[in-house]
Amino acid sequence: MSGKDGINVKDFLIGGLIGGIVGSVTALLLAPKSGKELRGDLHEQVDVMKEKGAQWKDVAYEKGIEIGNVAKDKKAALVDSASEFVGVVKDKSGQLYETVSKQTKSVKETASAGFEATKQAAQKAGETFKSEAKDARDDVKQVADKSKEEVKEASETAKNKTEKIVHDAKKELKK
């Protein structure tokens, strides 16, 4: 954000603010007022600045509470998502165990019938195991991707709120 002459807009605004303050103080000090009137004016300005400071403190406190609440909500959503993820993993593991147990039992029974039948059953069990493992992996990946998106959204929301607070504070400083 620099102009053609290399002047930074931020530096320009700060210079303008400092110049305004210096000009106001100079005007107060050089104004043809008695000491009592000047002290009264200065006291009023100090009171105005105290009031604005208190307002900014209140705004910052409220925004902090809002951001905290958003973070709590996102945390709860992430905990729920993680619980769902754990549930899916447990369920798929249980299904996988049952499938392997059934196939193992089937293989044992078939082994007594003959070597060739046992070989075929083992191949079928392996394929089923691979298929179930792949399904479980896909389900786990989907839940993990969902959790990742929720974390990303929570981060963006917090970032946007923080940028708004900073923007609002800068806006108030300019007043």
Side-chain angles (χ1 to χ4, degrees), residues 22-32 38:
V22 169
S24 298
V25 170
T26 303
L28 283 174
L29 293 175
L30 297 178
L38 181 60

Side-chain angles (χ1 to χ4, degrees), residues 117-136:
T118 303
K119 183 178 176 181
Q120 290 174 357
Q123 287 175 344
K124 183 179 179 184
E127 291 171 6
T128 302
F129 181 80
K130 284 181 185 178
S131 175
E132 290 290 328
K134 183 178 179 183
D135 290 344

Side-chain angles (χ1 to χ4, degrees), residues 6 10 15 19 26 32 37 62 66-67 86 95-96 111 129 133 144 149 165-166 169 175:
K10 179 181 169 187
T26 303
E37 289 176 340
E62 290 172 9
E66 287 178 21
I67 289 173
V86 169
Q95 291 174 0
L96 190 59
F129 181 80
E149 279 298 319
I165 290 171
V166 169
K175 288 182 182 179

Side-chain angles (χ1 to χ4, degrees), residues 5 12 32 69 87 107 127 138 150 158 170:
D5 297 327
F12 179 76
N69 290 338
V107 168
E127 291 171 6
D138 292 342
E150 289 175 358
K170 285 181 180 179

Side-chain angles (χ1 to χ4, degrees), residues 85-103:
F85 175 73
V86 169
V88 168
V89 170
K90 283 182 180 178
D91 185 45
K92 291 298 179 180
S93 295
Q95 291 174 0
L96 190 59
Y97 176 76
E98 289 177 21
T99 301
V100 170
S101 294
K102 288 177 184 177
Q103 293 298 328

